[in-house]
């Protein structure tokens, strides 16, 4: 076999190139890994808050005392603040609820619960709906 | 270093400079690999923690909706247990049960939420852990509390942490129990 007098890269060139590539890769990977999906836990907390508001509304509807229109938070006040984001600063939830008639049946009500929260400068929200039966009080 | 058949190899000086650099590179790579593995484990543990907290609330609220009565028992200021009763006694000389009979009890035992079903004789027959025992996490229940502020509404709060990541999660919710006729142990 004929061996040509070829000149390749020097070992040092290869090592220096590998080092530069590794440093760039480390900086890039470090940045990517620090982005954590903390919002998943906050979304879960918000879904359960919406369920809490719907349960309280159902209870009032069963007693015939659920008003139509916009209603305030009916659950436990402490539940509106959470540290589930992993940050030192708490995240506060804002719950907006609307009750309206559903179809022509006055006993059926549609509850729409919107839970909003803010992380840094970003705003997030979830919306939940439920049709419930209200007890009609006799005059 | 030397030339053989006209080939050129690395010279010794190149090796002497390159070797420490290669060792440094390998150290960096090993470090990076360990970091990736530990971060992946941390993320998995967080996911399990979140899922288990959700599962506790989901199981309790699902069972609560169909309960005929609910009983709360306080063990300490953070740990409480709840029992849902599905029996419907008829006082005509006999006790007649509905199709869904017995009781379902949720209790915290050694940091784990355990669901116990009373089949009529003993709670120990059907015991299933709701949390813990996951290979990817080491969860611990710090708080399980029940309260009732409104008629036929059960408020459930669970707080858990993971021993690997030291992360904790606290989630609360409420459930409406349309068929609930009795509440005991609540203020």
């Amino acid at each position: 076999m004929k061996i040509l007098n070829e000149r390749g890269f020097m070992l040092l060139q290869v090592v220096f190139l590998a080092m530069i590539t590794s440093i760039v890769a480390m900086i890039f990977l470090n940045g990517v890994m620090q982005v954590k999906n903390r919002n998943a836990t906050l979304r879960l907390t918000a879904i359960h808050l919406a369920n809490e508001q719907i349960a309280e509304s159902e209870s009032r509807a069963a007693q015939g005392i659920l008003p139509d229109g916009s209603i305030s938070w009916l659950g436990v006040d402490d539940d509106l603040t959470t540290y589930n984001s992993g940050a030192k600063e708490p995240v506060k939830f804002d719950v907006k609820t609307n009750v309206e008639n559903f179809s022509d049946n006055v006993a059926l009500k549609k509850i729409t619960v919107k839970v909003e929260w803010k992380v840094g400068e970003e705003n997030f929200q979830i919306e939940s709906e439920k049709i419930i039966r209200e007890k009609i009080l006799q005059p | 270093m030397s030339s053989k058949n006209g080939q050129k190899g690395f010279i010794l000086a190149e090796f002497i400079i390159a070797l420490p650099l290669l060792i440094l590179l390998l150290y960096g790579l090993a470090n990076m690999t360990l970091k990736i593995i530990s971060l992946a484990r941390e993320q998995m543990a967080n996911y399990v923690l979140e899922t288990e907290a959700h599962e506790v609330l989901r199981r309790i609220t699902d069972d609560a909706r169909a309960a005929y009565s609910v009983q709360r028992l306080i063990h300490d200021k953070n740990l409480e247990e709840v029992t849902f009763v599905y029996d419907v006694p008829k006082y005509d000389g006999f006790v007649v049960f509905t199709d869904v009979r017995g009781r379902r009890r949720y209790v915290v035992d050694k940091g784990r939420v355990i669901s116990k079903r009373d089949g009529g004789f003993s709670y120990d027959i059907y015991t299933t852990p709701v949390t813990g025992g996951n290979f990817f996490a080491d969860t611990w229940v710090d708080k399980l509390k029940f309260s009732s502020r409104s008629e036929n509404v059960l408020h459930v709060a669970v707080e858990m942490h993971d021993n690997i990541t030291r992360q904790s999660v606290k989630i609360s919710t409420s459930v409406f129990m349309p068929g609930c006729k009795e509440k005991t142990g609540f203020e």
Side-chain angles (χ1 to χ4, degrees), chain B:
Chain B
M1 197 161 74
S2 68
S3 113
K4 188 182 174 186
N5 299 332
Q7 291 176 56
K8 276 187 164 309
F10 301 118
I11 55 168
L12 185 62
E14 275 184 298
F15 271 115
I16 290 168
I17 301 167
L19 212 60
L21 291 174
L22 275 169
I23 291 166
L24 200 72
L25 259 174
L26 278 172
Y27 173 75
L29 277 171
N31 229 350
M32 204 66 194
T33 313
L34 281 175
K35 197 174 176 185
I36 289 169
I37 292 167
S38 73
L39 268 170
R41 185 145 195 232
E42 195 182 305
Q43 294 238 334
M44 188 66 95
N46 280 343
Y47 175 73
V48 171
L49 178 70
E50 185 189 306
T51 309
E52 286 190 355
H54 172 62
E55 185 65 5
V56 170
L57 294 181
R58 194 192 65 78
R59 291 272 295 269
I60 291 175
T61 52
D62 279 2
D63 282 346
R65 278 196 84 85
Y68 173 80
S69 82
V70 56
Q71 298 162 0
R72 181 177 77 150
L73 200 64
I74 302 167
H75 291 290
D76 65 43
K77 71 179 172 66
N78 286 331
L79 299 176
E80 297 173 0
E81 74 165 71
V82 71
T83 305
F84 302 111
V85 184
Y86 303 101
D87 298 349
V88 183
K90 300 256 173 83
Y91 299 104
D92 57 352
F94 298 97
V95 174
V96 181
F97 295 104
T98 54
D99 288 339
V100 187
R101 63 180 224 172
R103 301 152 193 254
R104 177 83 69 174
R105 201 170 130 204
Y106 287 91
V107 61
V108 180
D109 182 25
K110 292 178 189 125
R112 297 172 79 172
V113 175
I114 310 282
S115 162
K116 293 183 173 198
R117 187 157 71 86
D118 174 10
F121 306 101
S122 165
Y123 274 118
D124 297 327
I125 297 172
Y126 310 102
T127 299
T128 42
V130 184
T131 64
N134 194 304
F135 176 77
F136 297 103
D138 185 13
T139 58
W140 187 272
V141 178
D142 299 301
K143 195 185 273 188
L144 183 65
K145 292 188 74 128
F146 304 93
S147 60
S148 183
R149 299 169 75 238
S150 313
E151 197 176 290
N152 287 7
V153 173
L154 179 73
H155 180 263
V156 191
V158 65
E159 192 172 338
M160 298 172 68
H161 78 267
D162 183 78
N163 286 323
I164 298 171
T165 60
R166 313 304 303 172
Q167 284 269 350
S168 67
V169 66
K170 185 186 171 198
I171 309 179
S172 311
T173 197
S174 288
V175 56
F176 177 56
M177 300 178 290
C180 186
K181 302 280 182 284
E182 261 176 41
K183 284 192 290 188
T184 44
F186 295 90
E187 292 90 19

